[in-house]
Every structure is written in C-alpha cells, then in structure tokens.
Amino acid sequence: MNNLAIEGGKPVRSNKNFLVFGAPKIEEAEIEEVVDSMRCSWIGTGPKVERFEKDFAVYKGIKHAIALNSCTAALHLSMFAAGIGKGDEVITTPMTFCATINSIIHCGATPVLADCDKKTMNISPKEIEKKITAKTKAVLPVHFAGRCCDMNSIMDIARAYDLMVIEDCAHAIESEYHGVKAGLFGDIGCFSFYVTKNIITGEGGMVITKDNRMAERIKTMGLHGMSKNAWKRFSDKGYKHYQVIHAGYKYNMMDIQAAMGIHQLKRVDKYWKHREGIWNKYNDSFKDLFCEIPEKPAPETKHAYHLYTLLINIEKLKKERDWFLDALTAENIGVGVHYTPVHLHPFYKKNYGWEKGDFPNAEWIGERTISLPLSAALCDKDTDDVICAVHKILKK
Ligand SMILES: *Cc1c(COP(=O)(O)O)cnc(C)c1O
C-alpha cells in the first residue's frame, strides 16, 4: 500500500506549513536599514547604493561594481558596453533562464546555442567551437547552479577567436575556479539579487568589470544615458547640470534595495556554508533512489550551491518528471525546474528555427530535472522533511 499524498495519503508537511521554494532569509539588520532609508527620506539611488557597490567590488577584488535593478539589466547593458549589436552572434547555453537569451536579442544581436554537458549541465567548450562563425562576437557562459563552467577551455577559445566573454553569474556569487572568482574571467560578470538568489535585494543586479570605459558606459546607460547620476546632481555640493549622451535605460538600483544588499553581503559566506551543509546532506541521502544526484564539485573549484538538482530516473519509475513535481507539491514541499531548455519555448522556436532534437543533452536534462528547496532560510526540520518526502516518492 502506498501512502503518497498525491494518492490520498498524509503529506509529510501540513498544508499551512508549505515549504516555499527559494524563500530568502531576511534578518533584522536589513529591515532596520530599509526603515532608516525611509525615515531619512532618501529611498532612491544614493549613498547606500554607492556603499553596496564598493563592498561588492572589495568582495570580488575588482575595480568596478555597478549596481542595477536586475541581472537582466546587467546582461543587457554588458552586451551594449561590449559593443555587441545588429549582425553579431553571441553563443550561450540552452540550459539557462530566458533572461540570458533575451539580453542578446535586446541589443539587436542573434543568440546562438551550444549544447551543455550532461553531468555538469554547463555549456560544452567543444560545442561552442562548432558554433563559431565570422559573426561571432562573444560567448556568454552561465555558471549553472553555481558550478563554474570549464573556464580554462572557454578562455582559450575566446583568445583564439578574439571573442568577448560575458559571464552570467546569477547563480554564482561565491563560485571559484582554479583560484579565480566567477565574474573575473572574461570582460564582464553579471550577478542577480532576485528573491530566490544566494543573497537578495528583492530585485537587483550587479555588473563587474576591470575596464574603465565599459564601466562608464554601463553607468551612463543604466540611468537614461545621463552623464551624471541624480544623487550627484542634487547633492549639497551645488547644482550640477546633466547631459544626455545616449538614449539610455532606467536600470538604476534604489537605496532601499542596496540597504538589504549591504547586510546580506556581510553574510554571504555564512549563508554559503549553510547551503553547502544542506547540499551535502541531500547528496548523502538520495544515493539509492530512482534518481541521479549531482556530481561533487570538481577539484580546485568552489561551488556556489545555488540549486540542488536531482535527475529523476523516468525510465525506471515509468512516470514523467511532472508527476514527481505534483507528488512533492502534494507533500507540501515547493519544487522548481531549472530549466526547460530555452530553445523549446514558442517564441524562440518561431523566431530562430530551433526545434526539439537540436540540443539533446539540454533536452535530456530538461525532461528529468527537479530542484529541491536550498536556501539559508531552511532549518534542519525543513531539510529532514524534504528528504523524507523524496524518499517516499522515489524509493526503489
Ligand atoms: C535569475 C537569473 C537571471 C536574471 O536575474 P534577474 O536579477 O531576475 O534579472 C539571469 N540568468 C540566470 C541564469 C538566472 O538564474
């Protein structure tokens, strides 16, 4: 007799105790800092954003960190700053969030996909090389789940073909590869502080670069194309006129957001340690079930442990992955899918001629993958419940 909640059995957690996927941990210091911004009536872009940028630059050990209102904005402006536009091609992975692809499209360029590796789920350098044409301008690697891409090979290719490298580090704030931090390999690195990410500002993003000219372009384009930002304009140092030098965007981060980021960043390592513990506990617990567990991080790398993904053995279970999503949800445990490969979404199929079968590894993952709750907000009881529910559903 089966006691799965999806078949009417008692769920592992009660309905009112539903474990939300990707819930952030928010502590008193950021609550007070947000309130302080509101009380002093400076909630827009100002001193807290400047401080968050400085702190982030120090954390990464880089000259420029520019805070924006999302990683999507960061990716978009990075393309622009890198001089990518109409007629150019940018190579990226199908195993990513749509924002990665949209940022390429928004700057007028054409996204070109290179399949990922089945084990690491990261873009395959061999596949990148196959997709290079005379139009290729840049490679956009995504450090999937917080596991660094094969950056030695990718940088070798970039040097050989004179390509820009823009890293999508939305999962990878803490990631390192052979002693180098994610975002520092290529020309530009983009980060996300969206609510489900490793540290959060609600909505928010950051661009890092060592290039003075690109940093200046990103700053200008992120605020209407104005050559001076609003805070400097209205500071007590006297009125400063601004000049519009581009048709820019409204992508600036607010002090209310930076107020959260400043305190979250102080705990980045503490939160990472907590997620590492959960990730390892999951990996030890799911060895003998109808699923594949993620590979251990490669030597000389630091995994950011943003996602914990299981690959369901749909052949042995004789059930589709979505059955597992429903079954875990019925146990009152939130779950995610990272990702349905981007080339299977209707817009891209229609406009780029991509079809099922084009990227077999990404599709293989896309049919089997599920992401379990992994966040600094989880307590031992939460993770025990997740383990208990997964065992109920996937036991042999
Ligand atoms: C979350 C995410 C983004 C977009 O980040 P936002 O800050 O929400 O714009 C981009 N790429 C990847 C891989 C992501 O997971």
mmCIF file of all heavy atoms in Angstrom, residues 27-73:
data_model
loop_
_atom_site.group_PDB
_atom_site.id
_atom_site.type_symbol
_atom_site.label_atom_id
_atom_site.label_comp_id
_atom_site.label_asym_id
_atom_site.label_seq_id
_atom_site.Cartn_x
_atom_site.Cartn_y
_atom_site.Cartn_z
ATOM 1 N N GLU A 27 17.004 39.248 7.668
ATOM 2 C CA GLU A 27 17.296 39.428 9.083
ATOM 3 C C GLU A 27 17.066 40.881 9.536
ATOM 4 O O GLU A 27 16.835 41.772 8.720
ATOM 5 C CB GLU A 27 18.722 38.944 9.387
ATOM 6 C CG GLU A 27 18.900 37.466 8.972
ATOM 7 C CD GLU A 27 20.157 36.802 9.507
ATOM 8 O OE1 GLU A 27 20.500 37.029 10.685
ATOM 9 O OE2 GLU A 27 20.785 36.044 8.750
ATOM 10 N N GLU A 28 17.156 41.081 10.841
ATOM 11 C CA GLU A 28 16.810 42.381 11.461
ATOM 12 C C GLU A 28 17.629 43.544 10.894
ATOM 13 O O GLU A 28 17.081 44.619 10.666
ATOM 14 C CB GLU A 28 17.059 42.284 12.976
ATOM 15 C CG GLU A 28 15.891 42.483 13.911
ATOM 16 C CD GLU A 28 14.526 42.761 13.316
ATOM 17 O OE1 GLU A 28 13.763 41.830 13.003
ATOM 18 O OE2 GLU A 28 14.216 43.971 13.181
ATOM 19 N N ALA A 29 18.926 43.325 10.649
ATOM 20 C CA ALA A 29 19.799 44.432 10.215
ATOM 21 C C ALA A 29 19.300 45.056 8.917
ATOM 22 O O ALA A 29 19.284 46.281 8.776
ATOM 23 C CB ALA A 29 21.234 43.946 10.057
ATOM 24 N N GLU A 30 18.872 44.208 7.947
ATOM 25 C CA GLU A 30 18.402 44.800 6.679
ATOM 26 C C GLU A 30 17.024 45.432 6.842
ATOM 27 O O GLU A 30 16.718 46.433 6.182
ATOM 28 C CB GLU A 30 18.438 43.813 5.492
ATOM 29 C CG GLU A 30 17.904 42.428 5.677
ATOM 30 C CD GLU A 30 18.991 41.460 6.105
ATOM 31 O OE1 GLU A 30 19.854 41.854 6.922
ATOM 32 O OE2 GLU A 30 18.975 40.304 5.657
ATOM 33 N N ILE A 31 16.229 44.892 7.746
ATOM 34 C CA ILE A 31 14.920 45.515 7.992
ATOM 35 C C ILE A 31 15.129 46.928 8.544
ATOM 36 O O ILE A 31 14.543 47.900 8.064
ATOM 37 C CB ILE A 31 14.072 44.649 8.957
ATOM 38 C CG1 ILE A 31 13.710 43.318 8.277
ATOM 39 C CG2 ILE A 31 12.806 45.397 9.414
ATOM 40 C CD1 ILE A 31 13.065 42.285 9.167
ATOM 41 N N GLU A 32 16.054 47.038 9.510
ATOM 42 C CA GLU A 32 16.345 48.363 10.094
ATOM 43 C C GLU A 32 16.952 49.321 9.068
ATOM 44 O O GLU A 32 16.649 50.513 9.064
ATOM 45 C CB GLU A 32 17.295 48.220 11.287
ATOM 46 C CG GLU A 32 16.566 47.878 12.564
ATOM 47 C CD GLU A 32 17.507 47.472 13.683
ATOM 48 O OE1 GLU A 32 18.673 47.908 13.683
ATOM 49 O OE2 GLU A 32 17.064 46.697 14.555
ATOM 50 N N GLU A 33 17.813 48.776 8.203
ATOM 51 C CA GLU A 33 18.477 49.613 7.194
ATOM 52 C C GLU A 33 17.468 50.161 6.177
ATOM 53 O O GLU A 33 17.561 51.318 5.763
ATOM 54 C CB GLU A 33 19.557 48.783 6.487
ATOM 55 C CG GLU A 33 20.560 49.599 5.697
ATOM 56 C CD GLU A 33 21.565 50.339 6.571
ATOM 57 O OE1 GLU A 33 22.153 49.709 7.472
ATOM 58 O OE2 GLU A 33 21.743 51.551 6.356
ATOM 59 N N VAL A 34 16.498 49.330 5.807
ATOM 60 C CA VAL A 34 15.440 49.780 4.885
ATOM 61 C C VAL A 34 14.609 50.872 5.559
ATOM 62 O O VAL A 34 14.337 51.917 4.963
ATOM 63 C CB VAL A 34 14.540 48.596 4.446
ATOM 64 C CG1 VAL A 34 13.285 49.100 3.730
ATOM 65 C CG2 VAL A 34 15.317 47.641 3.533
ATOM 66 N N VAL A 35 14.259 50.625 6.804
ATOM 67 C CA VAL A 35 13.466 51.610 7.557
ATOM 68 C C VAL A 35 14.248 52.923 7.681
ATOM 69 O O VAL A 35 13.691 54.012 7.515
ATOM 70 C CB VAL A 35 13.078 51.048 8.948
ATOM 71 C CG1 VAL A 35 12.477 52.144 9.829
ATOM 72 C CG2 VAL A 35 12.108 49.883 8.795
ATOM 73 N N ASP A 36 15.553 52.817 7.904
ATOM 74 C CA ASP A 36 16.399 54.015 8.001
ATOM 75 C C ASP A 36 16.339 54.832 6.705
ATOM 76 O O ASP A 36 16.216 56.051 6.746
ATOM 77 C CB ASP A 36 17.846 53.587 8.306
ATOM 78 C CG ASP A 36 18.804 54.768 8.271
ATOM 79 O OD1 ASP A 36 18.759 55.572 9.220
ATOM 80 O OD2 ASP A 36 19.563 54.903 7.282
ATOM 81 N N SER A 37 16.394 54.152 5.566
ATOM 82 C CA SER A 37 16.286 54.856 4.280
ATOM 83 C C SER A 37 14.963 55.596 4.196
ATOM 84 O O SER A 37 14.897 56.735 3.736
ATOM 85 C CB SER A 37 16.364 53.870 3.106
ATOM 86 O OG SER A 37 17.660 53.367 2.974
ATOM 87 N N MET A 38 13.897 54.929 4.647
ATOM 88 C CA MET A 38 12.565 55.524 4.545
ATOM 89 C C MET A 38 12.428 56.706 5.489
ATOM 90 O O MET A 38 11.833 57.726 5.155
ATOM 91 C CB MET A 38 11.504 54.460 4.799
ATOM 92 C CG MET A 38 11.567 53.355 3.744
ATOM 93 S SD MET A 38 10.318 52.098 3.945
ATOM 94 C CE MET A 38 9.007 52.836 3.009
ATOM 95 N N ARG A 39 13.010 56.576 6.696
ATOM 96 C CA ARG A 39 12.921 57.668 7.667
ATOM 97 C C ARG A 39 13.727 58.885 7.236
ATOM 98 O O ARG A 39 13.332 60.019 7.482
ATOM 99 C CB ARG A 39 13.418 57.196 9.043
ATOM 100 C CG ARG A 39 12.445 56.271 9.725
ATOM 101 C CD ARG A 39 12.595 56.326 11.235
ATOM 102 N NE ARG A 39 11.977 55.164 11.854
ATOM 103 C CZ ARG A 39 10.670 54.988 11.983
ATOM 104 N NH1 ARG A 39 9.828 55.909 11.535
ATOM 105 N NH2 ARG A 39 10.196 53.895 12.536
ATOM 106 N N CYS A 40 14.887 58.650 6.603
ATOM 107 C CA CYS A 40 15.691 59.810 6.190
ATOM 108 C C CYS A 40 15.258 60.311 4.814
ATOM 109 O O CYS A 40 15.847 61.233 4.261
ATOM 110 C CB CYS A 40 17.179 59.510 6.248
ATOM 111 S SG CYS A 40 17.772 58.528 4.874
ATOM 112 N N SER A 41 14.198 59.686 4.274
ATOM 113 C CA SER A 41 13.576 60.151 3.027
ATOM 114 C C SER A 41 14.495 60.113 1.819
ATOM 115 O O SER A 41 14.303 60.852 0.875
ATOM 116 C CB SER A 41 13.016 61.574 3.182
ATOM 117 O OG SER A 41 12.007 61.561 4.139
ATOM 118 N N TRP A 42 15.539 59.284 1.855
ATOM 119 C CA TRP A 42 16.313 59.082 0.640
ATOM 120 C C TRP A 42 16.186 57.613 0.261
ATOM 121 O O TRP A 42 16.905 56.781 0.778
ATOM 122 C CB TRP A 42 17.790 59.477 0.802
ATOM 123 C CG TRP A 42 18.409 59.570 -0.562
ATOM 124 C CD1 TRP A 42 18.722 58.516 -1.370
ATOM 125 C CD2 TRP A 42 18.701 60.756 -1.303
ATOM 126 N NE1 TRP A 42 19.198 58.961 -2.575
ATOM 127 C CE2 TRP A 42 19.190 60.331 -2.561
ATOM 128 C CE3 TRP A 42 18.586 62.125 -1.045
ATOM 129 C CZ2 TRP A 42 19.572 61.234 -3.554
ATOM 130 C CZ3 TRP A 42 18.981 63.009 -2.028
ATOM 131 C CH2 TRP A 42 19.474 62.566 -3.274
ATOM 132 N N ILE A 43 15.197 57.339 -0.579
ATOM 133 C CA ILE A 43 14.964 55.922 -0.915
ATOM 134 C C ILE A 43 15.509 55.566 -2.298
ATOM 135 O O ILE A 43 15.723 54.407 -2.602
ATOM 136 C CB ILE A 43 13.455 55.554 -0.817
ATOM 137 C CG1 ILE A 43 12.613 56.392 -1.755
ATOM 138 C CG2 ILE A 43 12.959 55.688 0.612
ATOM 139 C CD1 ILE A 43 11.135 56.010 -1.755
ATOM 140 N N GLY A 44 15.733 56.570 -3.124
ATOM 141 C CA GLY A 44 16.228 56.305 -4.487
ATOM 142 C C GLY A 44 17.722 56.025 -4.494
ATOM 143 O O GLY A 44 18.327 55.759 -3.456
ATOM 144 N N THR A 45 18.326 56.085 -5.677
ATOM 145 C CA THR A 45 19.761 55.803 -5.811
ATOM 146 C C THR A 45 20.571 56.825 -5.029
ATOM 147 O O THR A 45 20.425 58.028 -5.246
ATOM 148 C CB THR A 45 20.155 55.858 -7.300
ATOM 149 O OG1 THR A 45 19.308 54.973 -8.013
ATOM 150 C CG2 THR A 45 21.605 55.449 -7.497
ATOM 151 N N GLY A 46 21.393 56.369 -4.107
ATOM 152 C CA GLY A 46 22.134 57.295 -3.266
ATOM 153 C C GLY A 46 23.281 56.633 -2.544
ATOM 154 O O GLY A 46 23.903 55.712 -3.073
ATOM 155 N N PRO A 47 23.569 57.101 -1.322
ATOM 156 C CA PRO A 47 24.776 56.640 -0.613
ATOM 157 C C PRO A 47 24.804 55.129 -0.335
ATOM 158 O O PRO A 47 25.877 54.540 -0.318
ATOM 159 C CB PRO A 47 24.755 57.438 0.698
ATOM 160 C CG PRO A 47 23.387 57.998 0.815
ATOM 161 C CD PRO A 47 22.851 58.137 -0.565
ATOM 162 N N LYS A 48 23.639 54.523 -0.128
ATOM 163 C CA LYS A 48 23.643 53.082 0.178
ATOM 164 C C LYS A 48 23.989 52.255 -1.050
ATOM 165 O O LYS A 48 24.648 51.221 -0.953
ATOM 166 C CB LYS A 48 22.308 52.662 0.790
ATOM 167 C CG LYS A 48 22.213 53.156 2.232
ATOM 168 C CD LYS A 48 20.960 52.825 2.967
ATOM 169 C CE LYS A 48 20.989 53.613 4.284
ATOM 170 N NZ LYS A 48 19.765 53.457 5.051
ATOM 171 N N VAL A 49 23.539 52.716 -2.214
ATOM 172 C CA VAL A 49 23.913 52.033 -3.454
ATOM 173 C C VAL A 49 25.427 52.140 -3.644
ATOM 174 O O VAL A 49 26.099 51.149 -3.953
ATOM 175 C CB VAL A 49 23.168 52.637 -4.668
ATOM 176 C CG1 VAL A 49 23.746 52.117 -5.977
ATOM 177 C CG2 VAL A 49 21.671 52.328 -4.590
ATOM 178 N N GLU A 50 25.960 53.339 -3.402
ATOM 179 C CA GLU A 50 27.402 53.543 -3.554
ATOM 180 C C GLU A 50 28.190 52.623 -2.613
ATOM 181 O O GLU A 50 29.186 52.025 -3.002
ATOM 182 C CB GLU A 50 27.733 55.008 -3.285
ATOM 183 C CG GLU A 50 29.070 55.419 -3.877
ATOM 184 C CD GLU A 50 29.167 56.924 -4.076
ATOM 185 O OE1 GLU A 50 28.576 57.457 -5.036
ATOM 186 O OE2 GLU A 50 29.847 57.565 -3.255
ATOM 187 N N ARG A 51 27.674 52.493 -1.399
ATOM 188 C CA ARG A 51 28.355 51.619 -0.425
ATOM 189 C C ARG A 51 28.268 50.147 -0.843
ATOM 190 O O ARG A 51 29.251 49.400 -0.743
ATOM 191 C CB ARG A 51 27.732 51.821 0.957
ATOM 192 C CG ARG A 51 28.513 51.100 2.035
ATOM 193 C CD ARG A 51 27.994 51.410 3.419
ATOM 194 N NE ARG A 51 28.131 50.230 4.259
ATOM 195 C CZ ARG A 51 27.381 49.993 5.326
ATOM 196 N NH1 ARG A 51 26.450 50.859 5.695
ATOM 197 N NH2 ARG A 51 27.581 48.906 6.030
ATOM 198 N N PHE A 52 27.105 49.735 -1.306
ATOM 199 C CA PHE A 52 26.923 48.344 -1.739
ATOM 200 C C PHE A 52 27.866 48.030 -2.907
ATOM 201 O O PHE A 52 28.495 46.972 -2.952
ATOM 202 C CB PHE A 52 25.454 48.119 -2.132
ATOM 203 C CG PHE A 52 25.098 46.694 -2.464
ATOM 204 C CD1 PHE A 52 25.638 45.616 -1.765
ATOM 205 C CD2 PHE A 52 24.189 46.422 -3.499
ATOM 206 C CE1 PHE A 52 25.293 44.300 -2.080
ATOM 207 C CE2 PHE A 52 23.832 45.117 -3.818
ATOM 208 C CZ PHE A 52 24.395 44.059 -3.111
ATOM 209 N N GLU A 53 27.993 48.975 -3.822
ATOM 210 C CA GLU A 53 28.914 48.787 -4.961
ATOM 211 C C GLU A 53 30.353 48.651 -4.471
ATOM 212 O O GLU A 53 31.093 47.781 -4.923
ATOM 213 C CB GLU A 53 28.810 49.983 -5.926
ATOM 214 C CG GLU A 53 27.493 50.027 -6.687
ATOM 215 C CD GLU A 53 27.341 51.263 -7.567
ATOM 216 O OE1 GLU A 53 27.944 52.308 -7.262
ATOM 217 O OE2 GLU A 53 26.593 51.180 -8.543
ATOM 218 N N LYS A 54 30.737 49.504 -3.535
ATOM 219 C CA LYS A 54 32.117 49.454 -3.009
ATOM 220 C C LYS A 54 32.356 48.119 -2.323
ATOM 221 O O LYS A 54 33.381 47.473 -2.533
ATOM 222 C CB LYS A 54 32.345 50.596 -2.007
ATOM 223 C CG LYS A 54 32.607 51.924 -2.683
ATOM 224 C CD LYS A 54 33.460 52.860 -1.795
ATOM 225 C CE LYS A 54 33.775 54.145 -2.538
ATOM 226 N NZ LYS A 54 32.938 55.293 -2.090
ATOM 227 N N ASP A 55 31.398 47.704 -1.480
ATOM 228 C CA ASP A 55 31.545 46.440 -0.747
ATOM 229 C C ASP A 55 31.635 45.266 -1.708
ATOM 230 O O ASP A 55 32.411 44.330 -1.497
ATOM 231 C CB ASP A 55 30.348 46.226 0.203
ATOM 232 C CG ASP A 55 30.348 47.220 1.361
ATOM 233 O OD1 ASP A 55 31.338 47.974 1.501
ATOM 234 O OD2 ASP A 55 29.350 47.249 2.117
ATOM 235 N N PHE A 56 30.823 45.297 -2.761
ATOM 236 C CA PHE A 56 30.815 44.184 -3.717
ATOM 237 C C PHE A 56 32.135 44.140 -4.495
ATOM 238 O O PHE A 56 32.691 43.071 -4.737
ATOM 239 C CB PHE A 56 29.625 44.297 -4.679
ATOM 240 C CG PHE A 56 29.277 42.986 -5.347
ATOM 241 C CD1 PHE A 56 28.488 42.047 -4.705
ATOM 242 C CD2 PHE A 56 29.759 42.681 -6.615
ATOM 243 C CE1 PHE A 56 28.177 40.828 -5.311
ATOM 244 C CE2 PHE A 56 29.454 41.470 -7.239
ATOM 245 C CZ PHE A 56 28.653 40.545 -6.580
ATOM 246 N N ALA A 57 32.639 45.319 -4.854
ATOM 247 C CA ALA A 57 33.923 45.394 -5.569
ATOM 248 C C ALA A 57 35.046 44.825 -4.697
ATOM 249 O O ALA A 57 35.913 44.095 -5.187
ATOM 250 C CB ALA A 57 34.220 46.835 -5.970
ATOM 251 N N VAL A 58 34.995 45.122 -3.411
ATOM 252 C CA VAL A 58 36.009 44.592 -2.484
ATOM 253 C C VAL A 58 35.852 43.074 -2.376
ATOM 254 O O VAL A 58 36.832 42.335 -2.437
ATOM 255 C CB VAL A 58 35.885 45.256 -1.082
ATOM 256 C CG1 VAL A 58 36.721 44.519 -0.049
ATOM 257 C CG2 VAL A 58 36.279 46.730 -1.161
ATOM 258 N N TYR A 59 34.616 42.604 -2.246
ATOM 259 C CA TYR A 59 34.356 41.163 -2.143
ATOM 260 C C TYR A 59 34.913 40.417 -3.348
ATOM 261 O O TYR A 59 35.489 39.336 -3.228
ATOM 262 C CB TYR A 59 32.846 40.925 -1.995
ATOM 263 C CG TYR A 59 32.438 39.465 -2.092
ATOM 264 C CD1 TYR A 59 32.774 38.564 -1.075
ATOM 265 C CD2 TYR A 59 31.729 38.988 -3.197
ATOM 266 C CE1 TYR A 59 32.412 37.232 -1.164
ATOM 267 C CE2 TYR A 59 31.369 37.663 -3.292
ATOM 268 C CZ TYR A 59 31.709 36.782 -2.275
ATOM 269 O OH TYR A 59 31.358 35.463 -2.386
ATOM 270 N N LYS A 60 34.759 41.001 -4.527
ATOM 271 C CA LYS A 60 35.233 40.350 -5.749
ATOM 272 C C LYS A 60 36.686 40.686 -6.064
ATOM 273 O O LYS A 60 37.307 40.036 -6.897
ATOM 274 C CB LYS A 60 34.348 40.762 -6.936
ATOM 275 C CG LYS A 60 33.027 40.008 -6.995
ATOM 276 C CD LYS A 60 33.266 38.541 -7.355
ATOM 277 C CE LYS A 60 31.983 37.731 -7.347
ATOM 278 N NZ LYS A 60 32.241 36.299 -7.621
ATOM 279 N N GLY A 61 37.231 41.720 -5.422
ATOM 280 C CA GLY A 61 38.590 42.131 -5.729
ATOM 281 C C GLY A 61 38.701 42.711 -7.134
ATOM 282 O O GLY A 61 39.568 42.317 -7.912
ATOM 283 N N ILE A 62 37.781 43.603 -7.470
ATOM 284 C CA ILE A 62 37.777 44.195 -8.814
ATOM 285 C C ILE A 62 37.544 45.693 -8.713
ATOM 286 O O ILE A 62 37.017 46.189 -7.697
ATOM 287 C CB ILE A 62 36.713 43.515 -9.714
ATOM 288 C CG1 ILE A 62 36.937 43.889 -11.189
ATOM 289 C CG2 ILE A 62 35.293 43.886 -9.264
ATOM 290 C CD1 ILE A 62 36.425 42.879 -12.159
ATOM 291 N N LYS A 63 37.920 46.416 -9.751
ATOM 292 C CA LYS A 63 37.862 47.879 -9.725
ATOM 293 C C LYS A 63 36.432 48.418 -9.751
ATOM 294 O O LYS A 63 36.076 49.290 -8.977
ATOM 295 C CB LYS A 63 38.635 48.419 -10.931
ATOM 296 C CG LYS A 63 38.943 49.898 -10.851
ATOM 297 C CD LYS A 63 40.018 50.265 -11.872
ATOM 298 C CE LYS A 63 40.219 51.759 -11.948
ATOM 299 N NZ LYS A 63 40.926 52.121 -13.183
ATOM 300 N N HIS A 64 35.612 47.915 -10.688
ATOM 301 C CA HIS A 64 34.282 48.498 -10.864
ATOM 302 C C HIS A 64 33.167 47.504 -10.537
ATOM 303 O O HIS A 64 33.163 46.398 -11.062
ATOM 304 C CB HIS A 64 34.072 48.956 -12.311
ATOM 305 C CG HIS A 64 35.088 49.920 -12.783
ATOM 306 N ND1 HIS A 64 35.116 51.232 -12.356
ATOM 307 C CD2 HIS A 64 36.136 49.775 -13.637
ATOM 308 C CE1 HIS A 64 36.133 51.846 -12.940
ATOM 309 N NE2 HIS A 64 36.767 50.988 -13.722
ATOM 310 N N ALA A 65 32.226 47.922 -9.702
ATOM 311 C CA ALA A 65 30.980 47.189 -9.496
ATOM 312 C C ALA A 65 29.863 48.213 -9.644
ATOM 313 O O ALA A 65 29.876 49.252 -8.971
ATOM 314 C CB ALA A 65 30.944 46.544 -8.120
ATOM 315 N N ILE A 66 28.928 47.936 -10.548
ATOM 316 C CA ILE A 66 27.838 48.877 -10.813
ATOM 317 C C ILE A 66 26.520 48.192 -10.488
ATOM 318 O O ILE A 66 26.175 47.174 -11.104
ATOM 319 C CB ILE A 66 27.853 49.336 -12.287
ATOM 320 C CG1 ILE A 66 29.227 49.950 -12.623
ATOM 321 C CG2 ILE A 66 26.731 50.344 -12.570
ATOM 322 C CD1 ILE A 66 29.818 49.446 -13.895
ATOM 323 N N ALA A 67 25.789 48.747 -9.529
ATOM 324 C CA ALA A 67 24.522 48.152 -9.108
ATOM 325 C C ALA A 67 23.409 48.571 -10.062
ATOM 326 O O ALA A 67 23.325 49.738 -10.454
ATOM 327 C CB ALA A 67 24.194 48.589 -7.687
ATOM 328 N N LEU A 68 22.568 47.606 -10.429
ATOM 329 C CA LEU A 68 21.426 47.868 -11.307
ATOM 330 C C LEU A 68 20.185 47.220 -10.706
ATOM 331 O O LEU A 68 20.274 46.555 -9.671
ATOM 332 C CB LEU A 68 21.708 47.317 -12.709
ATOM 333 C CG LEU A 68 22.911 47.940 -13.439
ATOM 334 C CD1 LEU A 68 23.260 47.137 -14.680
ATOM 335 C CD2 LEU A 68 22.639 49.393 -13.805
ATOM 336 N N ASN A 69 19.042 47.383 -11.387
ATOM 337 C CA ASN A 69 17.810 46.861 -10.774
ATOM 338 C C ASN A 69 17.537 45.392 -11.082
ATOM 339 O O ASN A 69 16.553 44.829 -10.611
ATOM 340 C CB ASN A 69 16.605 47.746 -11.109
ATOM 341 C CG ASN A 69 16.332 47.826 -12.600
ATOM 342 O OD1 ASN A 69 16.892 47.042 -13.375
ATOM 343 N ND2 ASN A 69 15.491 48.751 -13.006
ATOM 344 N N SER A 70 18.396 44.747 -11.879
ATOM 345 C CA SER A 70 18.285 43.301 -12.096
ATOM 346 C C SER A 70 19.524 42.780 -12.804
ATOM 347 O O SER A 70 20.309 43.557 -13.357
ATOM 348 C CB SER A 70 17.043 42.966 -12.940
ATOM 349 O OG SER A 70 17.246 43.351 -14.295
ATOM 350 N N CYS A 71 19.661 41.471 -12.805
ATOM 351 C CA CYS A 71 20.735 40.836 -13.571
ATOM 352 C C CYS A 71 20.395 40.890 -15.057
ATOM 353 O O CYS A 71 21.290 40.954 -15.896
ATOM 354 C CB CYS A 71 20.901 39.403 -13.097
ATOM 355 S SG CYS A 71 22.172 38.467 -13.962
ATOM 356 N N THR A 72 19.114 40.876 -15.366
ATOM 357 C CA THR A 72 18.693 41.009 -16.760
ATOM 358 C C THR A 72 19.199 42.335 -17.329
ATOM 359 O O THR A 72 19.767 42.381 -18.423
ATOM 360 C CB THR A 72 17.151 40.945 -16.854
ATOM 361 O OG1 THR A 72 16.715 39.742 -16.222
ATOM 362 C CG2 THR A 72 16.672 40.970 -18.284
ATOM 363 N N ALA A 73 19.018 43.422 -16.551
ATOM 364 C CA ALA A 73 19.532 44.733 -16.960
ATOM 365 C C ALA A 73 21.056 44.687 -17.074
ATOM 366 O O ALA A 73 21.637 45.258 -18.003
ATOM 367 C CB ALA A 73 19.113 45.792 -15.945
#
